[in-house]
Amino acid sequence: MRPSRIIPWLAALALAGAAAHADIPKRVVSVNLCTDQLAMLVAGPGQLVSVTPLAANPRTSAMAEEAAAIPVNHARAEEVYLLKPDLVIAGRFTDRATVDMLRRLGIRVEEFAPAYALSDVPDRLTRIGALLGQEARAAELVDRFNAQLAELSSSTQDRPQAALYYANGYTSGDASLAGQILRAAGFDNVATGMGYGAIGALPLELLAMADPDVVVTGNPYPGASRSEAIMDHPVVTALKRGRVTGTVTDRNWVCGTPYVLQAVEDLVALRRAVEAGQ
C-alpha cells in the first residue's frame, strides 16, 4: 500500500495557527470524543483548554498525539465548571445531567449529533468553525476533505461484495457512517441488500448465505470478550479462509472527522487486493 496522503495535511493543519477574533470563545471545553477531535482540528492556539481522556487513546482517537498535550476532563459538571469555560461542546448523547447542570449554571453548551453520513463531515467542520470563530480554518479543511474524498471514491460498476461484522454480530448498512465509508471505497454492502439501514444484528446464517467477497471485522480489544468471540466463529473463519480480509480501526471510523478518509483509503487498498485475487 502506498504511503497515506491523508494524515500529513491533517497534522499540518492541526498544528498551524489561526487568526484571532475579539469575540470568539477563549476557553473551550469538549466533553465528547468526536467534538474533542473536531475542536483540535479547528481551534486556535490555546483556545481549547480540555478534552476527554478518550481523545488521548490511540485505539479510539485519530488525534491521540495532539490530545496528549491538553488537560483532560471526565464530563462531570463540577470539574467542567471549575475550568471556567465560555463554551462547552458536547455530543447528543453526552450525559444529560452534565449538560443540564452546566446550562443551569449559565454556561453555553453546544451539542453535536453523531455523523451518519460522509456528507456530515463538512457540516460538522463548518459548524465548529463558526462556534470557535475559526471559519477560514474550517473552510480549508472542508475543501481538502471534499477534494480528497472525490479522488478516493470509486465509480466502478463491478463492485465486490463486502460485509461489516462487529462484536455481538452487529453490522452496518448504507445509512451509517461505516456503510458510507465502505461504499465510497468501491464495495457493495451485503447488509444493505438484506434491508439493513443503519445498524443491526446479522445472524451468522445470513452472513454465510450472503457469501461476501470480503468480511471486514472489528479490531479486537486486548483481553477476552464474549461479545467479540463471534468474530472467531467457524462460520466467519470459513468465510475468511483463502480470501483477503480487513479490520475496522475504530479511531478512523467512529467520528465524523476528516480522518474517515484514512478508513476509505485503507478499504480502497483492500478492494484492489480483492480484485487482484479474483
Side-chain angles (χ1 to χ4, degrees), residues 6 9 45 47 49 67 86 126-128 170 173 187 207 211 217 237:
I6 308 302
W9 65 263
Q47 190 178 21
V49 299
D86 45 15
T126 300
R127 185 179 175 212
I128 197 77
Y170 275 83
F187 286 100
L207 178 64
D211 193 24
T217 56
T237 302

Side-chain angles (χ1 to χ4, degrees), residues 11-122:
L13 283 173
L15 294 173
H21 297 260
D23 57 347
I24 68 172
K26 296 178 174 59
R27 294 186 60 81
V28 178
V29 173
S30 171
V31 294
N32 170 268
L33 170 63
C34 296
T35 57
D36 289 340
Q37 294 173 87
L38 287 169
M40 283 190 285
L41 282 167
V42 174
Q47 190 178 21
L48 180 63
V49 299
S50 184
V51 295
T52 68
L54 287 174
N57 184 335
R59 290 193 65 95
T60 57
S61 171
M63 301 186 70
E65 186 175 344
E66 293 86 347
I70 304 174
V72 302
N73 72 83
H74 301 84
R76 300 189 186 101
E78 298 88 342
E79 64 175 338
V80 173
Y81 179 77
L82 291 174
L83 291 169
K84 299 180 179 179
D86 45 15
L87 174 64
V88 172
I89 46 177
R92 181 68 54 83
F93 299 108
T94 297
D95 183 70
R96 299 313 308 172
T98 294
V99 171
D100 293 344
M101 175 63 76
L102 290 171
R103 285 175 171 159
R104 287 198 296 270
L105 291 169
I107 295 174
R108 181 186 180 191
V109 181
E110 295 287 344
E111 297 177 74
F112 282 70
Y116 296 109
L118 289 172
S119 60
D120 288 338
V121 177

Side-chain angles (χ1 to χ4, degrees), residues 236-261:
V236 180
T237 302
L239 287 171
K240 288 183 173 182
R241 189 176 299 120
R243 306 186 190 188
V244 177
T245 61
T247 57
V248 171
T249 304
D250 287 348
R251 63 179 176 268
N252 296 325
W253 290 70
V254 298
C255 291
T257 76
Y259 286 96
V260 298
L261 293 174

